Amino acid sequence: MKANKRNIWIVLCVIAVFVYVAIFGLGSDFKGAVDMRFGIDIRGGVEAIFEPEGVDKVPSAKDLESARIVMENRLDAQNIVDREVTVDKEHGNIIVRFPWKSDEKDFNPENAIAELGETAKLTFRDPEGNVLVEGKNVSSSDVQKDQQTGEYVVALKFDKTGAKDFAKATAELVGKPIGIYMDEEQISNPVVQQAIDGGEAVINGMGSQEEAKALSEKINAGALPFSLKTTNYNTISPTLGSGALKAMLMAAAVAFTVVCLFMILYYRLPGLIACLAMVFQMSMQILVLSVPQYTLTLPGIAGLILSLGMAVDANVIINERIGEELNKGSSLKTAVRMGYKNAFSSVLDGNVTTAVVAVILMIFGSGTMLSFGYTLLTGVIINLLAGVWLSRIMLSSAVLYPVFQKPKLFYVKKERKVIDFLGKRKAIFLFTAVVLITGSIISGVRGVTLDTQFTGGVILKYTCEGTPDIEKAADAAEDVLNRPVSAQLTKDFVSDQNKLVLNLGGKQGLSPDDQTKVLEALNEIQPDQKYESSETYAVEPYIGARALRNSGIAIVLAAVFIVIYIAIRFSTLSGLSAGVSGVVALIHDVFIVFLVFGVCKIPINDAFVSVVLTIIGYSINDTIVLYDRIREHMQGHSKEGLVPLVNRSITETLARSINTALSTIFCVAIILVFGLIYNIDSIIVFALPMLAGMISGCYSTICIAGAVWVTWKEKKSKNKSIKQKK
């Protein structure tokens, strides 16, 4: 788009419209933030995995779909309409998720879970409620069209026993209704016109084909040949959810304010333009979540805040390039044009690698990992639009006004003395080795463990009114469950209420009935505490093993992709060596994250996978900027040696690396602070390793990636010289 004075005002109007729509939406079909769909970790709710019981093979897709319909009906009967019921055809599981209502008080999640898994029972009853025919004797049900009336009807076929019972029942009920029930819910009540024999019947009076189809599916579901059980579920209280949401929204507001202040104070007018672009980006990200009603979880919100910090990266690269052009003496218009042109390659490469990492996370992750990956991916895509294209239009338009052409409104990059990083590489390698070895020793002593997500197990959390006797609580739970139980006391900073946490030994899950018995036992031995279930996390080990395997595949695939991508894009740098050197830096960062989990005794969970993949995307983005500058100097036919060239490239990109790191670290640090204040474990175990990983990513780009690549090239050149002499 050609630069025009009016462009900035047009863009500002567009941003204002998007902000309004992002907050309030446009009607019922275009929802905004006020109608955002939050996950159960925010609103509170239940998530359960149901498995077939009493079968020796994976049920057919038809049987699983029938089971899904039954569960939908039962949730409808309990007025639980905001839910997800999905089928895992590969493993024969049914996953049910539903949030609490905003005013939920007396709902019993254990009972709801238990009722969902009971075998559906279809019955035909007389007006007094007596069972005449059972659904197990219905062999099939389908939708047909009556050729005479044109209406849709439901045709039934009975087995031999059902045909006999149905003939007898209809003979006695001519002119009277025969009720069709699913469990205790009446799903149809047709009037018997005549006695029906022959094992076939028709239900008429359907309002539409869809109504007839729905009834037919319910009847078929009633003949489900297996029951369902669950020992894998997660419940979270509404109080924790609302407190967590409040904490994360405050963190987002503070993070955005801090980042904008930093950008404006450091880069001045271009920094202000970048902040306006980020407002547009956040509005777009809200819309890509709210319009399709994509469930937003706490890690998803963390992903939004993180993408805000990473969005700064594109603008930092651009503004640094503009500053370089102004330092060369270029005019303001030329500096802006060349700044965006020279920065585009780095921005594109960095965003592509991060986007692929997000896609891998979405493919192999689920639940919170999927939510995090989705927000990160949309952030990267929108960043290319808002961070590059939109900010360019605004800044190119603004510099046409004399009032915005004052030199003090722009950052001019000063020449920096080249720092001899590579001359200190031995000391850098030694320092790095000491940190890694020390961390490994501490982690080995403290012990690195897998979370129950990956090993299987159960964690139960209860609110109480006083200070519970944790030894009595553990003993009571052990007596009920006949398995090892450890107990600890924590405090909820949202409500200032004590919490009892029970960790159940053994790898088996926990049935809802057993959890109810534990709660009853606790209140029996300590009635003054008035225990109430707050959170439940129960998972079978094979579920966790599958998640761990997928996580490992995701990390390996991300690393392989990065090597291949860099090898192709940076062939000037002998692509393979550049790719491997970049991955060596990534391995350093991943190991640092791993050591944080070990040193801080944080069990390895899906937060570890999310952090690792995010750090991979972030760190390689940083390294690519350095490689891009090295490639630029090499293509400029510089006669200086490899070491001076790389030192100069690191020095020139140093401000960009530090500024991007600082802005992202600000965001992650704010997430961590609010997680600590509000005692939100899922955020703490996410943000703390992420903070260390971000710092490590900046360090590895400046001190490791280039040094490893130069060492590789020097070693290869030395070996080549030796061969030539021979």
Side-chain angles (χ1 to χ4, degrees):
M1 183 182 290
K2 188 176 179 181
N4 189 299
K5 284 187 175 183
R6 293 174 297 179
N7 289 346
I8 188 171
W9 307 111
I10 295 172
V11 172
L12 289 175
C13 290
V14 170
I15 292 174
V17 170
F18 269 89
V19 169
Y20 177 85
V21 175
I23 297 173
F24 302 105
L26 284 176
S28 59
D29 296 329
F30 208 88
K31 300 181 184 297
V34 294
D35 297 311
M36 185 77 75
R37 182 175 185 175
F38 295 108
I40 62 173
D41 56 352
I42 295 176
R43 288 185 59 183
V46 176
E47 178 181 61
I49 300 175
F50 289 87
E51 309 160 53
E53 187 176 29
V55 296
D56 55 2
K57 61 180 181 179
V58 175
S60 66
K62 182 179 179 182
D63 284 345
L64 287 170
E65 183 62 18
S66 296
R68 186 192 66 78
I69 293 169
V70 171
M71 290 189 166
E72 293 274 11
N73 295 338
R74 290 179 171 178
L75 290 166
D76 284 338
Q78 298 183 47
N79 293 321
I80 302 174
V81 295
D82 184 12
R83 78 298 177 107
E84 295 177 19
V85 183
T86 55
V87 174
D88 178 1
K89 294 180 181 178
E90 181 181 354
H91 302 95
N93 299 329
I94 297 176
I95 300 97
V96 179
R97 299 183 182 96
F98 57 88
W100 306 95
K101 297 177 183 177
S102 58
D103 57 349
E104 198 72 71
K105 293 179 181 178
D106 301 323
F107 182 73
N108 188 317
E110 288 76 31
N111 287 348
I113 292 171
E115 290 172 6
L116 284 173
E118 293 176 352
T119 304
K121 189 174 183 180
L122 177 74
T123 55
F124 294 78
R125 306 181 187 183
D126 63 20
E128 285 72 41
N130 300 311
V131 177
L132 305 174
V133 186
E134 293 189 5
K136 65 182 181 180
N137 299 124
V138 177
S139 58
S140 68
S141 167
D142 56 55
V143 178
Q144 297 179 0
K145 191 171 185 179
D146 191 307
Q147 299 300 321
Q148 294 182 348
T149 63
E151 71 171 338
Y152 288 96
V153 297
V154 177
L156 305 177
K157 289 184 179 180
F158 297 89
D159 61 17
K160 187 175 181 180
T161 302
K164 181 180 177 181
D165 292 343
F166 193 71
K168 180 181 178 182
T170 53
E172 296 174 354
L173 292 175
V174 174
K176 298 179 181 179
I178 181 169
I180 305 175
Y181 288 79
M182 183 74 70
D183 295 326
E184 296 304 315
E185 180 190 3
Q186 187 180 77
I187 60 176
S188 186
N189 195 34
V191 175
V192 179
Q193 304 294 334
Q194 60 186 24
I196 302 171
D197 53 19
E200 296 185 3
V202 171
I203 303 175
N204 52 25
M206 301 292 105
S208 63
Q209 181 181 9
E210 289 73 22
E211 183 181 340
K213 182 181 178 183
L215 177 57
S216 176
E217 288 176 340
K218 289 178 181 179
I219 293 173
N220 283 327
L224 190 66
F226 58 83
S227 62
L228 292 161
K229 67 172 183 177
T230 180
T231 51
N232 308 284
Y233 59 95
N234 182 13
T235 67
I236 208 165
S237 68
T239 302
L240 176 66
S242 61
L245 177 60
K246 178 182 177 183
M248 294 308 294
L249 290 178
M250 290 175 64
V254 173
F256 186 80
T257 302
V258 169
V259 169
C260 284
L261 284 174
F262 170 75
M263 290 296 291
I264 294 171
L265 291 174
Y266 197 92
Y267 293 110
R268 303 161 201 178
L269 178 62
L272 175 62
I273 295 294
C275 292
L276 293 173
M278 284 190 289
V279 170
F280 174 78
Q281 174 170 343
M282 296 307 293
S283 300
M284 286 285 288
Q285 282 201 264
I286 289 172
L287 289 174
V288 298
L289 287 164
S290 61
V291 173
Q293 288 292 280
Y294 194 93
T295 302
L296 182 63
T297 63
L298 283 176
I301 294 179
L304 285 173
I305 298 174
L306 181 61
S307 65
L308 169 65
M310 296 180 72
V312 176
D313 183 55
N315 288 285
V316 167
I317 295 172
I318 292 165
N319 292 336
E320 287 288 326
R321 287 288 195 171
I322 292 173
E324 289 175 5
E325 293 297 323
L326 290 174
N327 186 53
K328 293 177 183 177
S330 300
S331 67
L332 199 53
K333 296 177 184 178
T334 301
V336 170
R337 179 172 56 82
M338 293 303 297
Y340 278 92
K341 180 180 178 181
N342 294 335
F344 182 75
S345 177
S346 296
V347 174
L348 178 63
D349 286 329
N351 278 272
V352 167
T353 51
T354 305
V356 171
V357 167
V359 169
I360 291 172
L361 187 61
M362 292 176 65
I363 292 173
F364 291 96
S366 62
T368 56
M369 285 174 62
L370 184 62
S371 177
F372 180 78
Y374 180 79
T375 54
L376 186 61
L377 177 63
T378 53
V380 168
I381 295 172
I382 296 169
N383 184 38
L384 279 174
L385 173 65
V388 179
W389 182 69
L390 201 68
S391 64
R392 179 175 185 170
I393 291 175
M394 287 191 288
L395 188 57
S396 298
S397 175
V399 296
L400 297 178
Y401 289 88
V403 69
F404 294 131
Q405 294 175 358
K406 298 176 182 178
K408 65 180 181 180
L409 294 178
F410 290 85
Y411 161 77
V412 179
K413 188 170 182 178
K414 297 179 181 179
E415 289 287 345
R416 185 188 295 269
K417 183 180 178 181
V418 175
I419 303 172
D420 186 16
F421 286 100
L422 297 184
K424 302 177 178 66
R425 69 181 118 158
K426 288 184 179 180
I428 290 172
F429 289 157
L430 179 62
F431 169 77
T432 303
V434 170
V435 171
L436 296 180
I437 292 171
T438 303
S440 299
I441 293 172
I442 296 173
S443 296
V445 172
R446 294 176 67 84
V448 178
T449 59
L450 293 176
D451 190 77
T452 52
Q453 282 181 312
F454 291 153
T455 62
V458 181
I459 296 175
L460 305 175
K461 294 185 180 181
Y462 302 92
T463 57
C464 49
E465 294 195 349
T467 303
D469 187 324
I470 59 175
E471 291 186 6
K472 283 186 177 180
D475 291 341
E478 284 186 2
D479 291 341
V480 171
L481 302 173
N482 194 29
R483 59 195 286 190
V485 177
S486 62
Q488 65 183 106
L489 181 65
T490 64
K491 182 180 285 291
D492 187 337
F493 282 82
V494 177
S495 58
D496 197 36
Q497 191 174 36
N498 285 329
K499 274 191 177 182
L500 173 69
V501 181
L502 299 181
N503 293 275
L504 277 56
K507 293 186 177 181
Q508 69 269 32
L510 184 73
S511 69
D513 183 54
D514 284 338
Q515 185 181 347
T516 300
K517 290 178 181 178
V518 171
L519 181 58
E520 291 173 351
L522 290 175
N523 281 316
E524 185 177 334
I525 63 166
Q526 295 177 296
D528 56 312
Q529 295 297 323
K530 297 181 180 179
Y531 289 106
E532 290 184 6
S533 181
S534 169
E535 292 178 72
T536 304
Y537 188 84
V539 64
E540 289 279 15
Y542 77 88
I543 298 285
R546 190 193 314 159
L548 183 60
R549 182 184 67 249
N550 288 345
S551 301
I553 293 172
I555 292 172
V556 171
L557 281 179
V560 170
F561 167 80
I562 287 168
V563 171
I564 295 172
Y565 185 84
I566 292 178
I568 295 172
R569 286 286 291 161
F570 293 91
S571 57
T572 307
L573 279 67
S574 300
L576 180 61
S577 61
V580 173
S581 299
V583 170
V584 168
L586 293 185
I587 292 173
H588 165 271
D589 301 332
V590 170
F591 195 52
I592 288 292
V593 170
F594 175 78
L595 293 180
V596 171
F597 274 82
V599 171
C600 299
K601 294 201 74 172
I602 303 172
I604 302 295
N605 54 15
D606 62 357
F608 172 78
V609 181
S610 295
V611 170
V612 165
L613 287 173
T614 304
I615 292 302
I616 286 175
Y618 168 83
S619 183
I620 200 63
N621 185 13
D622 215 5
T623 303
I624 281 174
V625 173
L626 171 61
Y627 282 172
D628 187 66
R629 187 60 65 98
I630 295 173
R631 177 176 59 185
E632 181 180 317
H633 287 321
M634 292 180 72
Q635 290 175 341
H637 305 291
S638 175
K639 295 182 180 180
E640 62 186 326
L642 194 60
V643 170
L645 185 148
V646 173
N647 275 331
R648 184 154 64 91
S649 299
I650 295 174
T651 303
E652 289 176 353
T653 57
L654 185 63
R656 175 264 163 202
S657 295
I658 293 175
N659 289 347
T660 298
L662 283 176
S663 60
T664 311
I665 288 169
F666 281 152
C667 292
V668 178
I670 289 166
I671 295 173
L672 177 60
V673 169
F674 277 86
L676 290 169
I677 292 174
Y678 288 90
N679 197 31
I680 307 172
D681 290 339
S682 61
I683 295 302
I684 295 172
V685 300
F686 174 88
L688 180 59
M690 181 73 79
L691 186 62
M694 291 293 175
I695 296 172
S696 174
C698 181
Y699 170 80
S700 67
T701 295
I702 297 170
C703 300
I704 296 178
V708 170
W709 179 72
V710 169
T711 303
W712 177 318
K713 296 287 289 182
E714 287 180 342
K715 184 73 173 176
K716 187 176 180 180
S717 178
K718 184 177 180 181
N719 291 338
K720 186 177 179 180
S721 298
I722 293 173
K723 288 181 180 180
Q724 288 176 347
K725 288 180 180 180
K726 289 182 179 180

